[in-house]
Amino acid sequence: MIELNTATKRYGTLAAVDNVSFHVQAGEYFALLGPNGAGKTTIVKMLLDFTRPTSGSLSVNGFPSTNLASRIAVGYLAENYHIPPYLSGWQYLQRCAELLDISQADARDQCRHIVEQIGMQGRENTKVSTYSKGMIQRFGIGAVLIGNPQLLILDEPTSGLDPIGIREIRQLLESLKDQGMTIFLNSHLLSEVEKICDNAAIINRGKLLVKDTISSLVKNGDTLEDVFVRFIKG
Amino acid sequence: MSKARSPIFKIAKYTLLDEVRQKSLIIMFIICALFIFLIRSCYSGNYMVNGQTLDPGTVVQMMSKITFHVIAIGVMLLTALLAMRVLKRDRDDGMQSCILSKPITRRQYIAGKILGLWVLSTILMFTLHGIVFIITSLNLKAVLPEYLLASLLCSFNLLFVVIAVLLLSLLMPDVIAFLCVMGIGITGLVADGIFAVSHSQIAQAMVQQSGFPSDWTWWRVVYYLWPKLSGTEQFASSFIGSGVVHEFGSIYPLINILIYSFILGALLFRQFRHEDII
């Protein structure tokens, strides 16, 4: 589903991503872990062709990331998600559906279902400017679900949320597991990752340190946090 | 073909709707419309030139031409103001990453932005010119359809402004991009003025008498090669009530603006292709 082949991204002399290779299988719940500035968001941007790798290659859905076809059936939630404040949540979802060429009737049905799924019934018609960060994040996740994507790329989906908001987002992501979606999650909320992901990779200063299943990484009563700290501190 | 085109129209529609939602735009448009209504009294005044009273028909025609230019310049200014923040706002609102994470190319995105802004500014200018057209028609008791044709011709200036501001806003701060495009317009106007003066016998005689070097070559180069915004406006307004048969030379400003729009458009697509999406 996702494949990175010696992907490197340099900004001048700084290597934001340095020779990283790994792949994510279809149906996998995969977490990319790393401290701030490790290169997680740069990898996501390269997957979506928001920025081009300096060398190496990336593919999504079997297509090079530079190919438009790689973005078919992919949902993307950006870090610090924003929605135009003058739109209502409903209008935003409709706009996302229209951009995916979904017919009006289908879009209405899907949006109604998604509003229920994200628990925002009754608030969908108010302006986004009146929403809390948690509500915006929920609509953001709702927007990526439009068109029944096969792959979700979520960059820090719980960033800036309070513990209750984090729990709600986690429950929402867990509920998607049954639908057979592949999830590529960028996060540094290790306890949440441990609860919902099957596999994880840890990167630091652009370099891939390890990639394995969560169960293989977390052994002997350790937590994912212990493992993470051990790898990062070397 | 229609599949590839449709995202452009969708993005153009969103651009148009998002701009229309801005209260500042609505207020500016209402002020412009009120201004045009207020100056309608000038159409019925008595004007004397060289001791001779101008007939009402000439007055209406002259006034409508002046208003035509004022509106064209005003809407160009408004268009530059609208265009300078469009890409930044889309980036800040998350719409850029939302659109480009879908199977939509950067070229389609930029084409949609250009189309949306161009259509919106053309509608604004056409509406304001339309008001003058109605006032003129009522005062002259005759319809001047060429007034609306002139307005449409002038819309190519707006296309140039949209593309130039979008391109420059990728390379420099928004306000500087706006000022640069205004500078292009003003320089073009000055070059046109100097070129006209250089062709007048009085000016040539004055330069010869004063002993100043009379080398107009540099200004001639600027006149021909600089984006001819004011020239296109002049060409468009020459249709109003004149019945002039246009030679190829008089259409040059329009061709100049179209060529510039094409070149800057290509540069804009190229620049945005290499842009990192945030």
Side-chain angles (χ1 to χ4, degrees):
Chain A
M1 198 95 193
I2 289 179
E3 194 165 344
L4 277 82
N5 193 11
T6 62
T8 299
K9 177 70 185 179
R10 288 183 183 280
Y11 293 101
T13 53
L14 175 81
V17 177
D18 194 2
N19 218 19
V20 171
S21 301
F22 64 80
H23 65 272
V24 178
Q25 303 282 1
E28 218 176 282
Y29 259 46
F30 177 85
L32 186 61
L33 310 173
N36 289 334
K40 305 187 299 287
T41 299
T42 307
I43 289 178
V44 166
K45 282 184 182 175
M46 287 195 290
L47 286 172
L48 294 160
D49 196 31
F50 285 3
T51 186
R52 295 268 164 99
T54 313
S55 63
S57 62
L58 300 93
S59 70
V60 179
N61 290 330
F63 296 99
S65 59
T66 49
N67 191 323
L68 202 62
S70 72
R71 297 204 290 280
I72 294 171
V74 173
Y76 165 62
L77 180 79
E79 190 183 2
N80 299 319
Y81 201 74
H82 291 286
I83 300 178
Y86 42 82
L87 296 178
S88 68
W90 180 262
Q91 284 171 326
Y92 181 68
L93 294 178
Q94 287 279 321
R95 203 176 258 205
C96 290
E98 199 181 345
L99 282 167
L100 287 170
D101 272 337
I102 298 171
S103 71
Q104 277 195 344
D106 266 4
R108 240 191 330 269
D109 289 346
Q110 278 197 37
C111 292
R112 205 171 292 134
H113 174 68
I114 283 166
V115 167
E116 277 173 29
Q117 208 174 356
I118 59 174
M120 290 300 291
Q121 303 101 307
R123 289 304 304 269
E124 70 269 32
N125 290 319
T126 49
K127 288 250 173 85
V128 171
S129 54
T130 65
Y131 291 174
S132 68
K133 181 141 179 53
M135 290 160 81
I136 291 175
Q137 204 74 355
R138 280 201 234 180
F139 268 105
I141 292 184
V144 302
L145 295 175
I146 290 171
N148 302 315
Q150 292 306 298
L151 169 65
L152 294 187
I153 298 176
L154 310 174
D155 195 358
E156 304 284 4
T158 51
S159 148
L161 295 182
D162 58 24
I164 294 169
I166 291 171
R167 193 176 167 187
E168 285 171 354
I169 299 290
R170 192 190 73 219
Q171 285 168 346
L172 186 61
L173 294 179
E174 277 175 334
S175 73
L176 298 175
K177 212 166 191 174
D178 309 328
Q179 296 173 22
M181 279 183 193
T182 308
I183 291 196
F184 184 98
L185 184 69
N186 247 8
S187 181
H188 44 222
L189 273 173
L190 305 172
S191 55
E192 300 304 314
V193 167
E194 201 174 341
K195 282 174 189 153
I196 55 173
C197 290
D198 311 315
N199 299 300
I202 301 175
I203 62 164
N204 192 24
R205 292 178 186 162
K207 285 188 186 296
L208 180 69
L209 303 178
V210 65
K211 182 194 180 272
D212 214 331
T213 58
I214 298 280
S215 53
S216 303
L217 288 170
V218 181
K219 287 185 287 201
N220 307 325
D222 279 354
T223 61
L224 187 60
E225 192 178 316
D226 298 328
V227 176
F228 180 79
V229 171
R230 205 179 306 137
F231 271 103
I232 297 299
K233 292 206 167 169
Chain B
M1 186 70 185
S2 66
K3 266 252 171 198
R5 246 186 2 217
S6 65
I8 297 175
F9 292 120
K10 284 173 197 164
I11 293 163
K13 186 180 86 177
Y14 301 149
T15 307
L16 207 146
L17 291 175
D18 291 349
E19 292 297 329
V20 168
R21 275 195 182 96
Q22 289 186 62
K23 283 186 187 124
S24 53
L25 174 75
I26 297 166
I27 290 167
M28 274 197 280
F29 181 73
I30 292 170
I31 290 170
C32 289
L34 281 174
F35 170 75
I36 293 164
F37 273 116
L38 286 173
I39 62 164
R40 76 187 189 281
S41 55
C42 299
Y43 288 79
S44 49
N46 286 322
Y47 297 88
M48 289 186 76
V49 176
N50 293 333
Q52 287 185 325
T53 309
L54 292 177
D55 69 283
T58 314
V59 170
V60 171
Q61 235 171 53
M62 272 179 60
M63 279 308 298
S64 62
K65 266 197 178 186
I66 292 167
T67 325
F68 177 86
H69 286 292
V70 171
I71 291 170
I73 292 169
V75 176
M76 249 196 283
L77 206 77
L78 192 66
T79 305
L81 284 169
L82 289 177
M84 74 179 196
R85 285 191 57 81
V86 154
L87 295 177
K88 189 177 184 302
R89 199 179 49 238
D90 244 20
R91 205 180 303 143
D92 294 346
D93 286 348
M95 270 322 282
Q96 203 173 72
S97 58
C98 170
I99 291 170
L100 294 173
S101 66
K102 297 181 168 50
I104 293 168
T105 63
R106 293 184 183 211
R107 202 172 287 184
Q108 287 169 332
Y109 170 76
I110 283 291
K113 287 281 149 198
I114 294 172
L115 184 65
L117 284 167
W118 186 32
V119 168
L120 173 66
S121 51
T122 302
I123 290 171
L124 290 178
M125 188 167 71
F126 197 76
T127 310
L128 293 173
H129 279 150
I131 296 170
V132 180
F133 167 75
I134 293 166
I135 293 170
T136 312
S137 303
L138 291 174
N139 280 295
L140 272 180
K141 303 274 186 291
V143 181
L144 288 173
E146 63 269 22
Y147 202 85
L148 300 177
L149 171 72
S151 179
L152 289 177
L153 282 174
C154 240
S155 73
F156 289 107
N157 271 353
L158 302 178
L159 176 65
F160 170 84
V161 169
V162 167
I163 293 172
V165 174
L166 286 179
L167 173 64
L168 293 176
S169 70
L170 288 177
L171 304 169
M172 54 186 80
D174 309 338
V175 180
I176 308 290
F178 167 78
L179 291 174
C180 278
V181 174
M182 286 304 103
I184 290 170
I186 292 165
T187 309
L189 191 69
V190 171
D192 284 3
I194 291 177
F195 185 80
V197 168
S198 74
H199 274 67
S200 77
Q201 287 178 341
I202 299 170
Q204 281 172 355
M206 278 169 68
V207 167
Q208 272 175 2
Q209 274 179 7
S210 64
F212 280 118
S214 59
D215 187 12
W216 303 97
T217 319
W218 195 82
W219 278 109
R220 271 197 194 118
V221 172
V222 175
Y223 174 78
Y224 282 111
L225 295 184
W226 202 257
K228 300 199 68 60
L229 292 169
S230 63
T232 304
E233 221 179 282
Q234 285 291 343
F235 168 69
S237 71
S238 67
F239 281 88
I240 302 169
S242 65
V244 171
V245 179
H246 290 271
E247 296 166 4
F248 177 75
S250 61
I251 205 172
Y252 171 70
L254 185 63
I255 294 169
N256 168 296
I257 281 298
L258 287 174
I259 291 170
Y260 264 108
S261 300
F262 181 76
I263 293 168
L264 293 182
L267 288 174
L268 173 60
F269 285 123
R270 190 178 176 279
Q271 182 64 31
F272 193 70
R273 204 178 61 194
H274 299 297
E275 200 72 11
D276 275 3
I277 307 300
I278 298 164

